[in-house]
């Protein structure tokens, strides 16, 4: 006689009158834990999603043009924004060329962010779902994982900077905090003062991860207003105190000329663009909350304008610091730390507090939310946006220990900026697939299915993988010497790396379009775009009338 398992007994002994089948209890401790943390998801029944991964319903679309402008303005108005010109001028460019480099890089970044974000406006989906249409169901997981890792590592950097803001606030409130003795060993790479500031920043940041990105629009307004007041205040105070028009920093011209100047400019352009590639890739994560398509177009102006303005503020403050303190201080926190009078400490606290909110918003928008969206797509049965943000926080904040990583800061930061050799081609395939290959016509329901039309063969779109590979492999020899001092590359390979984004993005976009033209995946083409079922007729009319890249087709019933 066949022995029945516990699961079979429960299935057979369900409620026979109503037809309800009882579910067997988990048979092991680990399975009970997993069952306990399960979300209300649709991983079975041919669909892999949960409410945070689904298309945003109409009641969740609250972001207007003003909100997007504030979002991107607040992203640029930060401590790192003040420091931008430092690395450019350090390699031989004048402050004017530094501003031009920043302006052009952010203008291009704003265009690509807006372009790739339109799929989020149209279909209300995040990047992790968008990637399935071009890369295939399972290959998209590799791309999502890459983006997730980058987000967590940048979380490390921005959390460290946020702790510096808290440390400056503590200096302002309690001057004696500067004299707190260190009780940690030198091998820890962190002292007691900074560990205290770090814990405070981390604990005060956690509640904002709980709230959710679509409910913290006020945070971006607060940090934009506060940091602009501080930025203009610092610049005005410095000009009033010492005057900066004839300082050595402002009189410094280019120290490189000819062909060397052109390659230095391109390399600086690429470096400034590199930090934005993460936001280019996951632009749909934010645009999916837009009230209508045109709401996101303020990105085109907000990104380059504010980046250039904040960079100029940084140049003015740095130039004045040379006159006032005898050394160039590119970090505004180092400037306010020198305000030790009673009134000066009050001003220093307000400045550091505004930069604290700036780092807080930046870390949520650019890092934790992006990583949470990615983890949500990989494990939708157990991770949603809220859980994903907390996981990213603890991984980036404590497992990776930023004070240890940043002890080799130059190599690490070069690696993070150079990561765009992968993210640039990744983004190019997404843009090409949506606007050129599929002509903005997706079937949103198929994107959520295991064996849907975007599965390709075995969940792998070889065209996308080939284009992605063509975009980054030739750049690798030029990238490696930037993170390893013992390796050199020829001038030709180095110059190709200086053109990294242009080559990587352009080559991947062109090769993917060509491959899809000659070897089309016809099963993925739809005659009529299928938008989310809950999209209202008014939204549909907005999309049809505001489309700038061609007709959208009619909405399927």
């Amino acid at each position: 006689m066949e022995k029945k398992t516990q699961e079979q007994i429960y299935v057979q002994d369900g409620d026979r009158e109503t037809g309800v089948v009882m579910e067997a209890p988990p048979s092991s401790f680990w399975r009970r834990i997993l069952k306990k943390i399960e979300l209300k998801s649709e991983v079975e029944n041919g669909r892999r999603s949960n409410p945070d991964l689904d298309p945003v319903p109409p009641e969740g679309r609250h972001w207007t043009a003003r909100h997007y402008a504030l979002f991107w303005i607040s992203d640029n108005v930060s401590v790192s924004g003040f420091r931008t010109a430092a690395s450019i001028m350090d390699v031989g460019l004048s402050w004017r060329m530094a501003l031009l480099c920043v302006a052009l890089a952010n203008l291009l970044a704003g265009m690509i962010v807006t372009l790739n974000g339109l799929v989020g406006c149209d279909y209300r989906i995040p990047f992790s779902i968008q990637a399935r249409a071009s890369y295939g169901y399972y290959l998209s997981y590799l791309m999502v994982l890459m983006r997730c890792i980058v987000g967590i590592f940048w979380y490390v950097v921005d959390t460290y900077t946020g702790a510096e803001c808290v440390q400056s606030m503590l200096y302002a409130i309690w001057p004696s905090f500067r004299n707190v003795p260190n009780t940690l060993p030198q091998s820890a790479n962190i002292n007691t003062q900074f560990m205290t500031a770090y814990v405070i920043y981390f604990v005060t940041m956690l509640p904002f991860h709980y709230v959710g990105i679509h409910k913290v629009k006020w945070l971006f307004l607060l940090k934009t207003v506060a940091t602009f007041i501080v930025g203009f205040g610092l610049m005005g105070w410095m000009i009033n105190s010492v005057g900066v028009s004839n300082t050595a920093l402002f009189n410094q011209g280019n120290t490189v000329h000819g062909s060397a100047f052109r390659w230095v400019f391109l390399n600086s352009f690429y470096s400034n663009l590199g930090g934005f590639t993460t936001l280019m890739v996951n632009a749909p994560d934010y645009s999916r909350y837009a009230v209508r398509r045109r709401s996101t177009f303020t990105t085109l102006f907000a990104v380059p304008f504010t980046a250039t303005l904040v960079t100029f503020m940084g140049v003015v403050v740095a130039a004045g610091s040379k006159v006032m303190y005898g050394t160039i201080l590119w970090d505004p926190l180092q400037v306010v730390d020198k305000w030790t009078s009673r009134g000066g400490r009050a001003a220093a606290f307000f400045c550091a507090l505004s930069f604290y909110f700036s780092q807080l918003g930046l870390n949520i928008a650019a890092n934790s939310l992006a990583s949470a969206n990615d983890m949500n797509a990989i494990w939708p049965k157990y991770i949603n946006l809220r859980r994903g943000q907390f996981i990213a926080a603890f991984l980036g904040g404590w497992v990776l220990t930023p004070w240890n990583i940043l002890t080799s800061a130059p190599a690490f930061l070069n690696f993070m900026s150079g990561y765009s050799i992968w993210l640039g081609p990744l983004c190019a395939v997404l843009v090409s697939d949506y606007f050129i290959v599929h002509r903005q016509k997706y079937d949103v329901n198929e994107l959520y299915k295991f064996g849907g039309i975007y599965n390709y063969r075995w969940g792998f779109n070889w065209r996308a993988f080939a284009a992605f590979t063509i975009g980054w492999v030739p750049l690798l020899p030029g990238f490696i010497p930037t993170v390893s001092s013992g390796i050199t590359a020829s001038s030709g390979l180095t110059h190709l790396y200086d053109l990294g984004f242009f080559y990587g993005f352009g080559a991947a976009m062109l090769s993917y379009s060509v491959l899809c033209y000659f070897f089309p995946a016809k099963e993925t083409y739809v005659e009529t775009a299928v938008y989310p079922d809950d999209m209202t007729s008014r939204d549909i009319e907005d999309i049809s009338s505001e489309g700038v890249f061609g007709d959208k087709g009619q909405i399927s019933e």
Side-chain angles (χ1 to χ4, degrees), residues 127-410:
F127 147 69
S128 52
I129 299 299
Q130 173 202 14
R132 296 175 182 177
S134 50
Y135 286 96
Y137 200 92
Y138 293 111
L139 180 59
S140 69
Y141 287 152
L142 174 61
M143 305 302 158
V144 168
L145 185 61
M146 287 174 56
R147 174 62 186 90
C148 182
I149 292 172
V150 176
I152 292 174
F153 270 99
W154 275 119
Y155 193 97
V156 170
V157 177
D158 289 327
T159 299
Y160 192 91
T161 304
E164 290 178 319
C165 298
V166 173
Q167 182 175 248
S168 293
M169 284 192 283
L170 294 176
Y171 286 160
I173 299 173
W174 298 290
S176 60
F177 185 73
R178 298 173 185 265
N179 302 319
V180 171
N182 179 37
T183 58
L184 298 175
Q186 186 175 0
S187 60
N189 293 318
I190 187 173
N191 58 34
T192 302
Q193 284 183 22
F194 196 77
M195 178 59 79
T196 303
Y198 188 87
V199 170
I200 293 174
Y201 175 78
F202 186 83
V203 170
T204 56
M205 179 176 58
L206 291 180
F208 292 91
H209 292 330
Y210 184 85
V211 173
I213 185 68
H214 57 291
K215 296 180 181 178
V216 293
K217 300 187 294 291
W218 60 268
L219 174 62
F220 302 113
L221 173 61
L222 172 65
K223 72 193 285 288
T224 298
V225 173
T227 47
F228 259 127
I229 291 174
V230 167
F232 280 111
L234 274 172
M235 185 172 65
W237 168 77
M238 192 64 77
I239 292 174
N240 182 66
S241 299
V242 300
V244 295
S245 59
N246 293 317
T247 63
L249 196 63
F250 271 89
N251 291 331
Q252 175 184 321
N254 299 318
T255 58
V256 290
H257 306 280
S259 62
F261 166 81
R262 291 190 288 273
W263 288 114
V264 167
F265 184 90
L266 286 172
N267 182 262
S268 300
F269 182 98
Y270 173 56
S271 297
N272 277 274
L273 199 59
F276 240 104
T277 52
T278 55
L279 294 167
M280 295 176 194
V281 170
N282 69 297
D285 291 352
Y286 319 110
S287 62
R288 64 194 297 224
Y289 300 106
V291 173
R292 54 182 58 88
R293 205 179 209 234
R294 64 168 177 258
S295 300
T296 64
F297 291 172
T298 52
T299 302
L300 289 168
F301 310 100
V303 171
F305 174 75
T306 54
T308 308
L309 177 60
V310 173
T311 301
F312 178 72
M313 290 179 179
V315 172
V316 172
V317 173
S321 68
K322 174 66 175 177
V323 177
M324 183 171 289
Y325 305 115
T327 184
I328 295 177
L329 300 176
W330 288 104
D331 189 337
L333 294 174
Q334 292 182 359
V335 175
V336 303
D337 283 347
K338 294 184 177 295
W339 301 348
T340 55
S341 66
R342 188 177 184 86
R345 288 192 289 112
F349 175 81
F350 177 76
C351 292
L353 179 63
S354 70
F355 284 126
Y356 162 86
F357 279 113
S358 174
Q359 287 303 125
L360 189 65
L362 176 63
N363 223 359
I364 292 173
N367 302 321
S368 71
L369 179 69
S371 300
N373 267 302
D374 298 338
M375 286 185 273
N376 185 22
I378 298 173
W379 298 287
K381 195 171 183 177
Y382 303 104
I383 298 179
N384 56 16
L385 290 185
R386 183 174 291 164
R387 292 180 181 180
Q389 287 194 80
F390 282 116
I391 292 172
F394 281 94
L395 284 177
W398 295 103
V399 176
L400 296 180
T401 58
W403 49 88
N404 287 319
I405 290 178
L406 293 175
T407 53
S408 57

Side-chain angles (χ1 to χ4, degrees), residues 42 47 54-59 61 122-125 442-446 448-449 529-537 539-540 555-557:
E42 298 180 76
R47 207 164 177 275
D54 281 341
V56 176
E59 60 270 19
R61 304 168 193 169
D122 296 345
Y123 294 91
R124 309 296 175 173
I125 57 176
Y442 286 158
D443 184 334
V444 71
N445 297 318
E446 293 291 324
Y448 288 87
K449 293 181 179 178
V530 179
Y531 297 98
D533 295 335
D534 56 7
M535 181 172 278
T536 66
S537 59
D539 289 324
I540 294 168
I555 307 302
S556 296
E557 295 293 338

